[in-house]
Every structure is written in structure tokens, then in C-alpha cells.
Amino acid sequence: MTLNDILTAALAQLDRGHDAQTLENYRVRLTQYANDAQRELADALGLFRTDKVRTSAGIVDTSLLPRRVKRIERVVQLGRAVPFRCGDRTNTLLLPYDTAAEITYRYEPRTLNDNSDRSDLDDGLLGLVVNYVVGRERLGGDVSTQSGGNFVIDEINRGEISKIFGEL
């Protein structure tokens, strides 16, 4: 699902139409809400990925990994888990061997900016992103629509997503 798909679905739920002009009027605000939703879901679910990287004298620059690193969980070199520590800079990882490493880390999803940007979240979670966008938008609207947004946002803030959407 692309950013454009998320915004279109949210506008449809809000009964605001989803023609090009309406989409453009709400794009900046709803895009921010979608990115907020991604970050909150990533924090709640603890998104992990493993990437293979080269080392230079046992040093890895984690800023070269495909996603923004939130926390290194495990490093494997020569087929087994190895100890690691942070270097002098925040994006430096010191490893015992000067050989390729598989790094498992928690990451932050890429920020959605362009219409064609795809979310890093699994497709099954994107409905949650749409509902979050709808909830945040309703909170900013008139008083008659705010109650619909309060419930969704309160449950998400308490980490009780499953109460709203069932088991993930």
C-alpha cells in the first residue's frame, strides 16, 4: 500500500471525498499522521530485520544499514553470535573479527513522503495506519466528530491495539 492509498482510504472513511484537489488539501497533515502511526506501531511491535554488512578492521558504520537503527539486538560473525560494543561515534559498532557480519536490529520505518512511497510495515498492519490517520483527523475537527477519534487514539496510546482491531 502506497502513501497515496493510505491517504485515499482515510479520506474515504472521513467522507471527505478523495479527488485530487481534496487529497492535496489534506496531504501534509494526513502524511504526518501516517508517519506518526508507523513509528508508534514500530515501537509497539518491535520491528526487527537482519542485514549482512562488511566490516573494516572490525568496525561497522550502522548508518550504512538500509533502515535507521533504533537498537542492535544481535551480531553474527563466522556463523555464531559475537559480542559487540558501540564505538566513539553513535553510529559505530565494534566487532571482534574483520569479516562480514549479520546484524539483527530494531529499526524505524522509512518516512513516507511521496505518493508512491510504500510502507515498511506488513500489509496486514496498514489498516491500523489508516484508522490512526482517521482518528487523529477526527480529533482535530469539530466537536461532533471528536468522539470518534478519541476512542481510537486512547486505545492505541495505551498499547491496546488488539481491543480495537482483534488479534494481530
Side-chain angles (χ1 to χ4, degrees):
M1 186 177 243
T2 64
L3 173 60
N4 196 61
D5 296 334
I6 292 168
L7 300 182
T8 300
L11 287 170
Q13 283 188 32
L14 290 163
D15 291 326
R16 297 205 176 135
H18 48 275
D19 58 272
Q21 182 60 45
T22 303
L23 200 55
E24 198 53 43
N25 289 341
Y26 289 97
R27 178 171 309 287
V28 172
R29 185 170 61 238
L30 298 186
T31 297
Q32 179 61 48
Y33 296 161
N35 285 315
D36 290 347
Q38 284 195 130
R39 278 189 297 280
E40 288 195 32
L41 282 167
D43 286 344
L45 299 173
L47 297 181
F48 292 93
R49 69 178 281 138
T50 301
D51 290 307
K52 194 167 191 169
V53 297
R54 293 183 183 161
T55 63
S56 175
I59 299 171
V60 173
D61 182 356
T62 59
S63 67
L64 299 176
L65 289 167
R67 301 292 183 278
R68 186 169 161 232
V69 175
K70 294 184 85 171
R71 179 179 166 171
I72 303 290
E73 296 292 329
R74 180 179 172 174
V75 177
V76 174
Q77 282 186 306
L78 304 172
R80 62 186 172 92
V82 295
F84 59 90
R85 62 189 171 95
C86 294
D88 293 338
R89 297 181 318 192
T90 57
N91 62 341
T92 303
L93 196 62
L94 305 176
L95 305 178
Y97 305 108
D98 185 21
T99 184
E102 288 183 0
I103 299 178
T104 301
Y105 59 100
R106 285 184 68 166
Y107 68 95
E108 185 172 299
R110 284 183 293 212
T111 301
L112 302 173
N113 293 311
D114 297 325
N115 284 340
S116 60
D117 286 352
R118 290 191 147 313
S119 176
D120 287 334
L121 300 176
D122 292 337
D123 288 341
L125 296 172
L126 295 178
L128 295 173
V129 173
V130 172
N131 287 332
Y132 182 95
V133 170
V134 170
R136 286 277 303 268
E137 181 61 17
R138 284 187 175 151
L139 285 173
D142 63 62
V143 177
S144 65
T145 63
Q146 287 181 354
S147 63
N150 287 338
F151 172 75
V152 173
I153 301 303
D154 287 347
E155 295 301 315
I156 289 173
N157 285 340
R158 284 196 298 248
E160 300 179 19
I161 295 169
S162 63
K163 283 185 180 178
I164 305 169
F165 306 103
E167 292 299 317
L168 297 175

